[in-house]
Every structure is written in structure tokens, then in C-alpha cells.
Amino acid sequence: MKLRFLGTGTSTGVPALLCDCPVCRSDDPRDRRSRTSALLTTPDGKNLLIDCGPDFRTQALDAHSPKIDALIITHHHYDHVGGIDDLRPYCHHRTSADGDMPVYGSRDVIDDIHRRLPYCFGDNLYPGVPTFDLHEIIPGKQFTAAGTKVMPIAVRHGEATICGFHIGSLGYITDCSTLPDESLTALHGIDTLVINALRMKPHRSHMNLEQALTVIRDVNPRRAWLIHMSHDIGLHSQTDISLPQGVNLAYDGLVIEIPD
Ligand SMILES: [Zn+2]
Ligand SMILES: [Zn+2]
């Protein structure tokens, strides 16, 4: 499998508006972090989009408009769903045999999409609106998206329970403050763990770097990549070299190989 990090930034993105800290002023492209999202290419060549935030359009252009076979969503916060309307051209490229663009999310996500994009559902749709085939998922209950088995994992995000994903030998955990024991256990044995690390200081609804490293030590994957970072994670060039062996900061546009 192949994973492209489309975006690796927290909800504000980096640089943050109105900020002139050294990270937000950095010329290093790895310090430019759009809102967190990723594209997974499965062993049979299908592309699963993981979250679709407000930077989706430019992320897809930077990736040369890759095909997208399904969207899987971790939770309904704006930085993870704000770009769904921009899937319009993808919806229009689907044939009647393909059906509408499949979207997988928890009940909260599905309700939010109905509220956020009411014009995409119902009768007498305005011509040209994107159309979706929504599927409810439940943590602990495996589903199949674009021919690939996906296990949603329960993740605590502040007061909310959201989804992480276990797909083949990949674990993908964003917007996590704590992981229930059964979710940690479910990740044991994976090759690659992608996990959020917001900043150095603690935060109510996200892991800081130290908490992410603790989970990485527990899960013990071959490789771990950090995502959903704010400018407070520091300069990529400085923070990345301070990390333990096998752990790195991801950055926008990075593509990694994951054993099938
Ligand atoms: Zn969130
Ligand atoms: Zn987020």
C-alpha cells in the first residue's frame, strides 16, 4: 500500500493566520501544514481518501488530481469535512455503474453531512450538486470500502468518541487525546502507525508529543509518523531530528510505502 499525506496540520493550518512566529514565517515547505488528510492507495490500486478538510481542493491539485474511489471520515469537525463539496468533479466523473461517491462515517458524521450539505440530498436536486452514498460505520465493526477491509477503532477526542482506522498493516489515528485499551490492543502488530501530536504542551482534546510517543512505544510499530501538528510543534528541521529512531514528523506531500 501507499499513503500520501495530503495535509499534516491542525485545524488552523500552519502558517496560522496573523501569526509571525518562526515556524509560521519558515521558508521550509515542510513547515507549511494544510489541514490533516491522507490518501491511501490499496494493493489493488484503489484510492481511499481519509477525511476531506477545507484544503482538499489544493491538496488534490498538488497530488495531480488522483482518482478517489471512496471517502472514509474520522469525525465531523470542520477541519476534517469542510472540503466535501469540492468532491463535485469526482462525483460527476462517476458512471451510473459506479453509483454515487461512497462515504463512510459514524452516525454523527452522517447527520453532520446532511446538516452541512442539505442541497445534496432529497428530490429535485439543483443540477450539478455532488451526490453521495452515505454508509454508517461503528467502531469495532469491519466494513469494506472500495474493495478494502477497514476496521474503525474507537478513539477519544476530548469528550467525543471518534474513529481511527486499521487497514492492513496501517493504523491511522488523528484527533486523539486518549486511546481506550481495546483500541491500543487492536493496533499491536501493525507495521506503520500514523498518530496525532499537536504540540509540546498538553491539550484537552489532542495528544501532545510526549503522549504520542508513549502510545508509539506501547504499540511498537516498525515506523511511526506524526500528524495534525500546530506551529507549537516547532520547526520541522529541529523537532524531527530530536525524535526516537523510527519516528518522524510527516509533512504535506510525503508518500510512504506500507507493506500489504
Ligand atoms: Zn477534531
Ligand atoms: Zn482535527
Side-chain angles (χ1 to χ4, degrees):
M1 301 194 294
K2 206 169 68 177
L3 186 76
R4 170 185 279 265
F5 293 96
L6 296 174
T8 57
T10 190
S11 56
T12 56
V14 181
L17 289 169
L18 301 177
C19 183
D20 65 352
C21 78
V23 175
C24 289
R25 282 189 286 109
S26 165
D27 290 332
D28 185 340
R30 297 171 303 177
D31 289 319
R32 288 192 79 85
R33 300 186 180 282
S34 61
R35 268 61 73 90
T36 287
S37 172
L39 188 70
L40 180 72
T41 303
T42 67
D44 50 359
K46 302 281 191 194
N47 280 343
L48 293 184
L49 178 62
I50 308 176
D51 290 331
C52 185
D55 297 316
F56 167 72
R57 179 177 164 276
T58 45
Q59 292 168 341
L61 288 170
D62 288 346
H64 310 290
S65 299
K67 73 185 176 94
I68 293 170
D69 298 292
L71 167 62
I72 61 177
I73 299 178
T74 58
H75 68 303
H76 68 262
H77 287 164
Y78 173 74
D79 55 322
H80 298 262
V81 298
I84 290 178
D85 185 273
D86 283 327
L87 285 168
R88 213 178 317 161
Y90 286 96
C91 298
H92 296 167
H93 269 79
R94 296 178 71 85
T95 64
S96 52
D98 296 332
D100 290 330
M101 173 66 78
V103 177
Y104 298 83
S106 64
R107 189 73 246 162
D108 287 354
V109 169
I110 287 176
D111 291 346
D112 177 76
I113 291 175
H114 279 286
R115 275 195 306 272
R116 200 179 284 277
L117 306 160
Y119 51 88
C120 299
F121 302 95
D123 301 326
N124 303 316
L125 294 179
Y126 187 76
V129 297
T131 48
F132 302 105
D133 186 10
L134 302 181
H135 300 267
E136 182 178 347
I137 61 174
I138 298 167
K141 227 177 135 199
Q142 191 178 67
F143 64 96
T144 302
T148 295
K149 289 187 169 58
V150 180
M151 176 61 89
I153 293 173
V155 165
R156 295 292 295 165
H157 180 23
E159 298 300 304
T161 297
I162 67 163
C163 289
F165 296 115
H166 180 188
I167 307 171
S169 58
L170 167 71
Y172 185 95
I173 309 289
T174 187
D175 290 53
C176 175
S177 42
T178 55
L179 269 174
D181 285 345
E182 62 270 26
S183 300
L184 265 177
T185 306
L187 291 170
H188 283 142
I190 59 169
D191 176 86
T192 301
L193 178 63
V194 175
I195 190 160
N196 71 159
L198 183 73
R199 62 187 189 188
M200 305 304 180
K201 283 188 299 184
H203 187 274
R204 195 182 55 80
S205 53
H206 291 275
M207 287 180 186
N208 65 357
L209 179 60
E210 193 184 317
Q211 291 165 320
L213 292 176
T214 301
V215 171
I216 291 166
R217 271 195 301 277
D218 187 329
V219 173
N220 196 25
R222 182 183 61 86
R223 293 290 281 117
W225 298 92
L226 303 178
I227 56 168
H228 210 289
M229 290 163 278
S230 82
H231 56 181
D232 292 324
I233 202 74
L235 292 166
H236 181 101
S237 58
Q238 291 177 5
T239 304
D240 193 54
I241 54 170
S242 75
L243 297 173
Q245 177 87 30
V247 184
N248 290 93
L249 304 183
Y251 54 87
D252 291 21
L254 172 68
V255 179
I256 59 169
E257 294 284 344
I258 302 160
D260 293 345

